[in-house]
């Protein structure tokens, strides 16, 4: 069974252009070709990167955040409650109205206090500002290293300047050691992102991030197995170029350096939109779709790699829409305000709602504590200075 599956998977019609067989891809002492088993090295290397990341964040990024004035917010802590804690841990972190009523009866507490307990409990699980800072520092460090590594590897390669060279001699293009290590570095990094995804800061585009990482890993892996390495290196360096500006934008945002953050955001937006909506379609999509057919006829690998590349382009369009909306807001208001990819999370809204409720409670329900020229703004009622308090707590019109 396993042998039949193996033979079906590695049919030459899937991986090689018409007229090329696996016998034509035999290696010699001087010529080496990509082998699928090489990709297994990315798993241990991914764990090495995770270890390096943990050491980097603890030894460099975290102390740096303190020196640069990144301060975590003081958040209210939920009071110990075994019943609510058990429900939170095993069933649901944001219970519905019926669950809140049931829990309130079990704990002999008002429903509002139970709801507030869950707000505070979710707030305690939120990633701190220093965690976001450390994560951005790590990604910035990697993208800078990866981008300049890509430039060092590709600057003397003919396909960087003449894109038709991506297909010269395909698929019999020898694997250069520098290209192998560059590919392994990138693949290991994206594998490490998948492994740490449950622990990283979750954003509004969490699902899109999963699709992006999966498409990137599949694209890197398939392009390596099918020897699309030349076009793959172009994809990698194009993506790293804009990411080098995204992460420092976040870093300065966490530091509250608004002018620097806004300036970097404009630079990032320009690089992203140009690289993902202009350079990528022409250098990669047009190249893969049209130039490749000058060398060989379409086959399964041709269609499959184009589907993956188009999937990435759809994600580029999605993120470009978010960036354009932020640019529009920046032009109108003069500031980027908040990251639309969601450094603002669900519990931020919880805290804002809690503050509003507390203000309403203090200003409306307990109006006897209001002094001076404060007003009661409930149901259009009049200011307190037009009323007279009675000893029994009622209010009489003057």
């Amino acid at each position: 069974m396993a042998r039949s599956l193996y033979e079906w998977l590695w049919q030459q019609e899937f991986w090689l252009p018409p007229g090329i067989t696996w016998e034509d891809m035999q290696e010699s002492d001087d010529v080496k070709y990509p082998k699928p088993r090489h990709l297994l090295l990315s798993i241990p290397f991914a764990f090495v990167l995770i270890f390096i990341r943990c050491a980097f964040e603890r030894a460099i990024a975290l102390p740096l955040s303190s020196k640069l004035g990144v301060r975590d917010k003081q958040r209210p802590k939920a009071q110990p409650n075994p019943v609510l804690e058990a429900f939170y841990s095993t069933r649901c972190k944001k219970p519905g109205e019926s669950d809140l009523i049931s829990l309130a009866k079990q704990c002999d507490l008002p429903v509002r206090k139970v709801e507030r307990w869950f707000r505070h409990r979710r707030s305690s699980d939120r990633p701190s500002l220093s965690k976001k800072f450390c994560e951005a520092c790590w990604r910035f460090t990697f993208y800078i290293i990866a981008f300049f590594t890509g430039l060092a590897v590709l600057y003397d390669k003919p396909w960087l300047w003449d894109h038709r060279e991506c297909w010269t001699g395909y698929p019999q293009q020898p694997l250069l050691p520098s290209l192998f290590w560059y590919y392994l570095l990138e693949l290991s990094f994206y594998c490490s992102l998948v492994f740490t995804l449950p622990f990283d800061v979750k954003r509004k585009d969490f699902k899109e991030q999963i699709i992006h990482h999966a498409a990137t890993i599949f694209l890197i892996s398939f392009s390596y197995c099918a020897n699309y390495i030349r076009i793959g290196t172009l994809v990698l360096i194009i993506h790293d170029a804009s990411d080098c500006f995204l992460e420092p934008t976040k870093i300065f945002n966490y530091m509250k350096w608004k002018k620097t953050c806004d300036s970097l955001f404009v630079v990032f937006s320009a690089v992203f939109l140009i690289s993902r909506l202009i350079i990528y379609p022409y250098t990669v999509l047009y190249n893969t779709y049209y130039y490749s057919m000058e060398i060989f006829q379409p086959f399964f690998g041709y269609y499959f790699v184009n589907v993956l590349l188009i999937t990435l382009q759809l994600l580029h369009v999605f993120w470009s829409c978010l960036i354009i909306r932020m640019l529009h807001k920046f032009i109108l208001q003069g500031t980027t305000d908040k990251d639309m990819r969601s450094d603002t999370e669900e519990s931020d809204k919880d805290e804002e709602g809690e503050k509003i409720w507390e203000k309403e409670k203090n200003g409306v329900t307990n109006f006897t504590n209001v002094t001076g020229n404060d007003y009661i703004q409930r149901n259009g009622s009049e200011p307190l200075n037009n009323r007279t308090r009675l000893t029994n707590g009622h209010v009489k019109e003057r």
Side-chain angles (χ1 to χ4, degrees), residues 66-249:
S66 300
K67 291 184 178 180
L68 294 178
V70 178
R71 297 288 183 266
D72 295 329
K73 294 180 180 179
Q74 295 294 328
R75 296 169 181 163
K77 294 183 179 180
Q79 296 297 322
N81 190 308
V83 175
L84 299 182
E85 184 66 34
F87 186 94
Y88 181 89
S89 302
T90 60
R91 293 187 58 184
C92 180
K93 295 184 179 181
K94 195 172 184 181
E97 184 176 355
S98 60
D99 291 327
L100 289 173
I101 295 174
S102 175
L103 290 169
K105 290 180 180 179
Q106 295 179 44
C107 300
D108 194 22
L109 292 172
V111 175
R112 193 69 193 185
K113 285 190 175 181
V114 175
E115 187 178 5
R116 189 187 304 121
W117 187 94
F118 278 94
R119 284 201 184 100
H120 293 171
R121 186 64 180 83
R122 289 194 299 268
S123 179
S124 64
D125 284 346
R126 287 178 55 202
S128 63
L129 197 63
S130 58
K131 175 178 173 59
K132 297 177 182 179
F133 180 90
C134 292
E135 181 180 314
C137 283
W138 164 249
R139 296 195 184 200
F140 171 65
T141 302
F142 176 84
Y143 288 134
I144 283 289
I145 294 173
F147 178 70
F148 283 102
T149 299
L151 287 180
V153 169
L154 297 177
Y155 83 97
D156 60 343
K157 303 300 186 293
W159 62 86
L160 180 64
W161 315 105
D162 183 2
H163 305 319
R164 280 186 168 87
E165 287 293 326
C166 288
W167 311 109
T168 300
Y170 180 84
Q172 296 168 308
Q173 297 172 338
L175 175 63
L176 302 177
S178 58
L179 296 179
F180 167 75
W181 289 108
Y182 178 50
Y183 242 66
L184 185 62
L185 174 68
E186 293 278 2
L187 180 58
S188 301
F189 175 71
Y190 282 103
C191 287
S192 71
L193 290 184
V194 171
F195 296 153
T196 59
L197 204 57
F199 312 103
D200 290 339
V201 178
K202 291 185 178 181
R203 306 180 183 278
K204 290 177 183 176
D205 60 349
F206 179 73
K207 294 180 181 179
E208 288 78 9
Q209 283 284 350
I210 295 176
I211 297 173
H212 173 270
H213 295 339
T216 302
I217 290 173
F218 276 117
L219 180 59
I220 293 175
S221 302
F222 180 80
S223 63
Y224 186 85
C225 294
N227 208 9
Y228 282 114
I229 290 181
R230 294 186 179 184
I231 198 70
T233 54
L234 297 180
V235 174
L236 293 174
I237 200 169
I238 288 172
H239 281 71
D240 290 340
S242 59
D243 290 334
C244 289
F245 294 96
L246 173 61
E247 301 305 328
T249 303

Side-chain angles (χ1 to χ4, degrees), residues 131-375:
K131 175 178 173 59
K132 297 177 182 179
F133 180 90
C134 292
E135 181 180 314
C137 283
W138 164 249
R139 296 195 184 200
F140 171 65
T141 302
F142 176 84
Y143 288 134
I144 283 289
I145 294 173
F147 178 70
F148 283 102
T149 299
L151 287 180
V153 169
L154 297 177
Y155 83 97
D156 60 343
K157 303 300 186 293
W159 62 86
L160 180 64
W161 315 105
D162 183 2
H163 305 319
R164 280 186 168 87
E165 287 293 326
C166 288
W167 311 109
T168 300
Y170 180 84
Q172 296 168 308
Q173 297 172 338
L175 175 63
L176 302 177
S178 58
L179 296 179
F180 167 75
W181 289 108
Y182 178 50
Y183 242 66
L184 185 62
L185 174 68
E186 293 278 2
L187 180 58
S188 301
F189 175 71
Y190 282 103
C191 287
S192 71
L193 290 184
V194 171
F195 296 153
T196 59
L197 204 57
F199 312 103
D200 290 339
V201 178
K202 291 185 178 181
R203 306 180 183 278
K204 290 177 183 176
D205 60 349
F206 179 73
K207 294 180 181 179
E208 288 78 9
Q209 283 284 350
I210 295 176
I211 297 173
H212 173 270
H213 295 339
T216 302
I217 290 173
F218 276 117
L219 180 59
I220 293 175
S221 302
F222 180 80
S223 63
Y224 186 85
C225 294
N227 208 9
Y228 282 114
I229 290 181
R230 294 186 179 184
I231 198 70
T233 54
L234 297 180
V235 174
L236 293 174
I237 200 169
I238 288 172
H239 281 71
D240 290 340
S242 59
D243 290 334
C244 289
F245 294 96
L246 173 61
E247 301 305 328
T249 303
K250 295 179 183 179
I251 291 172
F252 285 110
N253 182 43
Y254 303 145
M255 293 167 55
K256 309 300 182 184
W257 291 20
K258 297 302 296 180
K259 291 184 178 180
T260 306
C261 173
D262 293 342
S263 300
L264 275 175
F265 172 74
V266 173
V267 175
F268 159 73
S269 301
V271 174
F272 185 96
L273 296 175
I274 293 173
S275 63
R276 305 293 179 94
L277 299 184
I278 298 176
I279 297 177
Y280 178 85
Y282 173 72
T283 303
V284 177
L285 293 182
Y286 187 84
N287 186 3
T288 307
Y289 191 80
Y290 288 105
Y291 290 164
S292 61
M293 289 194 292
E294 297 177 358
I295 306 299
F296 54 81
Q297 294 298 314
F299 65 107
F300 175 81
Y302 164 85
Y303 294 113
F304 188 70
V305 75
N306 274 285
V307 167
L308 292 176
L309 293 172
I310 292 173
T311 301
L312 283 181
Q313 182 60 18
L314 293 176
L315 292 171
H316 296 164
V317 173
F318 169 80
W319 284 314
S320 296
C321 292
L322 294 182
I323 291 171
I324 291 171
R325 286 173 58 191
M326 291 186 69
L327 280 174
H328 180 259
K329 189 175 183 179
F330 176 75
I331 293 172
L332 293 180
Q333 300 182 0
T335 179
T336 56
D337 195 18
K338 294 180 180 179
D339 179 6
M340 295 180 67
R341 288 184 59 233
S342 94
D343 274 340
T344 304
E345 297 150 357
E346 173 267 335
S347 48
D348 288 325
K349 297 179 181 179
D350 284 342
E351 287 185 358
E352 292 175 3
E354 180 71 15
K355 290 178 181 178
I356 292 173
W357 183 83
E358 289 291 344
K359 288 180 180 179
E360 290 178 350
K361 177 183 175 182
N362 295 330
V364 178
T365 307
N366 300 328
F367 61 85
T368 54
N369 295 328
V370 180
T371 58
N373 294 323
D374 291 339
Y375 291 89

